[in-house]
Amino acid sequence: MILPRYVKVAPELGLDRLFDYEIPESLAGRIELGQRLRVPWGKRDIMAYAVEFPLQPEVEKVREIGEIIGERPLIPPGLCKLAKWMADYYACDLGAALRTILPGPVRSHEGGGKMAWWIEPVLGRAAIAEEVLQGAKSQKKAWEHLCAHGGNWLSRLVKEAGLGTAVWRALVDRGLAERLEKRFVLAEEKAEAGWADASRRPTLGEEQVQSLAEWNEERKKEEGGRPILLEGITGSGKTEVYLQALDAVLEEGRNAIVLVPEISLTPQTVARFRGRLAGRRVRLCVLHSGQTVAERRESWHEIREGRAKVVIGARSALFAPMDHLGLIVVDEEHDGGYKQGEAPRYHARDLAVVRGRMEGASVILGSATPSLESGYNADRGKYRRVRLTRRVDGAKLPKVHVVDLRKEAKPKSGGPVLLSESLKEALQSRLQKGEQSLLLLNRRGYAPSVQCPHCGQVEECERCAVPMTYHRGEGKLRCHFCDAEKRAPTQCSGCGSPVLSFTGAGTERLEEAVVASLPGVRWTRMDSDSMKARGAHRKALEDFREGRTDILLGTQMIAKGLHFPRVTCVGVVGIDSALNLPDFRASERVFQLLVQVAGRAGRGEVPGEVFVQTYTPFHPAIQFARHHDVDGFREQELEYRKAHGYPPFRRVILISFSGVSEAQTRASIQHVAGRLREIWKGESEVPEPAQAPIARVEGKFRYQIFLLVEKVAPVMRDLKREVLAQKWPAGIKVAVDVDAQDLL
Ligand code: ADP
Ligand code: ZN
Ligand code: ZN
């Protein structure tokens, strides 16, 4: 074997550009991908990571690297390879991919990343403390805290005592405390906190046993086998299958990653993993967006050093820096939250499959309503489909009633129908019986638009081409795209008419209708407005679980992963606007949402009922959801996708341009379209650039080219050169989104 002579490195603090260095004789064969290195840089040294071993350097004069830092690579070599894959597939810089994989808090840390400030009281000064601290209330409190509890990490003190770093620094300045830089180790109580009450394994049902057997058979094959598509109806025990697969992997001394769509919305799932792992005394690391910089760094090293064997988190948890990966679970694989909205626009489910294959780990994608893409992959045998067709304990799927709103009497107020007669009756009877209900309306605020009945003017956002939503609670209009707000008008801004009508409905308006039609009801509204406060979501769920509330109403937040045996009624109040979005996935998304939310009903002994209110009762998404017919929907939808050449038959690549000058933006994207037509000469079709469905956001005009391609790689090579690497007029932003999910 020839040892590499050159290495490409990415500087730690500016990963975006790569530089070549020579490997000196003394270090030959000792550098691995992802290794942290000290390299000469001008007159000084900097830290950098080894990311590639080129045969030849790109420049003539290369310098030698200085030394290797740390015994093993800080970035696991597997993740370096994944970064390269991302950079190629999603056409981003390798640096941008590395940045995604290695979070800022880890990179910015000096000396291998484990030093922190420790504050220790100088007890010998206690006698004078009283006098010194006279009048300094916060510092006095800090001092007392230190005396009572002893020294601690600064970050912990800030949290526990609720006092900022400046206060602790002042104590140090006054000589009452000492500040030491120490290697960071986890405090014992923190380590213990990861162990919740142990929970027992239930005896698996027949189908669950079968699923695990198939998974086991598959993963013995080369490279961890094919991904398993675990297609199980709601409440069929998928999570239990994940848990036992996890057990098997841990038993073999391998590690696992579990992805959930949104960690804060899935406390029940997290608690189940915690409970089960507690029994094994295995450390679980939960990654979530609420973590502080220090916590993220701490988690990262905990995982890297092998102390945490299981990681659970949202999409970025896929980049958990572990070796010996045995299993990656992607729960609710159809969820749009797995796609990152900004560059690199990766899809965590797809990357999970790639990482699994690269590292020989098995991958389980689970859902009651798999995405068309994954369903099609299973149809073709690229994934192995495993089914759970029955609910645990034999509970029945709920009966779904489709309520035709065209036949419903209009309310006298002139507002929209929120609770049809049949839904109202169903809710009333649940109240009487002490059972619970869920109401879904996937729109927050009071009314999605405010219109003048006199001249027809709609209040629009000044910066975006969308109507502003009326939020009655705050008395404001809000733009849901840029979050701009203004006072709710009392008269039309066009003609001055003093009467304005609020069209459509959001959760605030639904709340109003619920209170008006159900005297004595106890309810919680759950949407991103009402759940802003820390812990609000958890409390709402607890209240509901304990039976302190009768109705949980809200946006799709209420449709995710909840398991409440006393819910026997689910109402879907408004779904039509989602069906009418200009997006080929609109129907699929509505179908998934309906099946998911319907699946929240009837998980206990009492069978459930679902009411779907709509003006288009015969829409296939509604009709197939009514019969819980996932296969039927897939077949019909695949036909439509095939006829139009939409995914999964081809790939979508969305090229977007935006800019303050509309003419310039349009001219730039038209130039691209022209160039692409020249290069591809009819090999691939290049449609005319079009205004985005939302033509202006934050004052910028938006244009798109919607490409459908057979193969991504060759197209991306051209797009990298013709779009991403070009110099566009100042102020023009370009983006290329592979496998785009958001087409608006
Ligand atoms: P899914 O993820 O498919 O919606 P879950 O795994 O959450 O289903 O299972 C639904 C409920 O049934 C949970 O409360 C779970 O604890 C319970 N459950 C799952 N499998 C079993 C089993 N084999 N025996 C008893 N209870 C089970
Ligand atoms: Zn008017
Ligand atoms: Zn706006």
Side-chain angles (χ1 to χ4, degrees), residues 202-205 208 232-242 244 272 276 331-332 388 392-393 563 600 603:
T203 314
L204 291 183
Q208 287 171 319
I233 63 169
T234 50
S236 58
K238 292 184 288 295
T239 314
E240 196 53 49
V241 173
Y242 308 152
Q244 302 222 3
R272 279 172 73 186
R276 195 62 61 83
D331 189 25
E332 308 292 3
L388 295 173
V392 173
D393 286 344
H563 181 79
R600 306 301 126 211
R603 288 190 163 214

Side-chain angles (χ1 to χ4, degrees), residues 72 74 112-115 153 156 183-192 194-195 250 253-256 274 277 280-287 294-312 320-324:
R72 51 181 205 146
L74 189 63
K114 295 216 67 231
M115 305 299 278
W153 300 107
R156 292 256 176 279
R183 270 186 83 77
F184 195 34
V185 284
L186 277 169
E188 273 316 301
E189 72 279 1
K190 167 95 194 318
E192 286 298 325
W195 289 315
L250 289 171
R254 298 174 79 185
N255 302 320
R274 265 197 201 294
L277 293 171
R280 303 182 62 98
R281 299 248 122 194
V282 164
R283 261 190 77 70
L284 163 76
C285 188
V286 180
L287 303 177
E295 284 167 340
R296 279 175 65 192
R297 177 160 57 223
E298 201 179 304
S299 301
W300 201 90
H301 286 289
E302 220 182 315
I303 300 163
R304 185 69 193 114
E305 281 154 27
R307 278 176 282 139
K309 309 221 168 289
V310 180
V311 172
I312 180 164
M322 29 180 54
D323 296 321
H324 312 297

Side-chain angles (χ1 to χ4, degrees), residues 212-385:
L212 279 167
E214 290 194 38
W215 167 70
N216 249 323
E217 181 188 274
E218 191 64 34
R219 76 191 181 110
K220 303 261 152 66
K221 297 180 186 164
E222 245 169 85
E223 297 177 333
R226 289 174 292 168
I228 299 288
L229 180 63
L230 182 62
E231 199 173 323
I233 63 169
T234 50
S236 58
K238 292 184 288 295
T239 314
E240 196 53 49
V241 173
Y242 308 152
L243 283 166
Q244 302 222 3
L246 181 63
D247 266 343
V249 167
L250 289 171
E251 202 65 51
E252 293 161 7
R254 298 174 79 185
N255 302 320
I257 298 174
V258 179
L259 301 185
V260 291
E262 224 172 316
I263 196 97
S264 63
L265 296 186
T266 40
Q268 284 183 324
T269 309
V270 175
R272 279 172 73 186
F273 276 87
R274 265 197 201 294
R276 195 62 61 83
L277 293 171
R280 303 182 62 98
R281 299 248 122 194
V282 164
R283 261 190 77 70
L284 163 76
C285 188
V286 180
L287 303 177
H288 57 91
S289 58
Q291 281 177 317
T292 63
V293 165
E295 284 167 340
R296 279 175 65 192
R297 177 160 57 223
E298 201 179 304
S299 301
W300 201 90
H301 286 289
E302 220 182 315
I303 300 163
R304 185 69 193 114
E305 281 154 27
R307 278 176 282 139
K309 309 221 168 289
V310 180
V311 172
I312 180 164
R315 60 171 180 260
S316 63
L318 177 70
F319 305 118
M322 29 180 54
D323 296 321
H324 312 297
L325 196 56
L327 174 68
I328 308 177
V329 171
V330 184
D331 189 25
E332 308 292 3
E333 69 85 30
H334 64 278
D335 198 284
Y338 286 123
K339 184 81 155 78
Q340 166 137 306
E342 62 236 43
R345 296 175 169 77
Y346 68 88
H347 198 305
R349 179 239 297 146
D350 299 343
L351 278 188
V353 170
V354 175
R355 185 169 183 191
R357 193 176 52 225
M358 282 177 169
E359 300 186 29
S362 79
V363 177
I364 302 180
L365 312 176
S367 175
T369 51
S371 60
L372 268 267
E373 284 84 352
S374 297
Y376 183 61
N377 276 330
D379 291 347
R380 289 190 301 160
K382 264 185 80 180
Y383 296 171
R384 177 163 177 171
R385 179 181 274 121

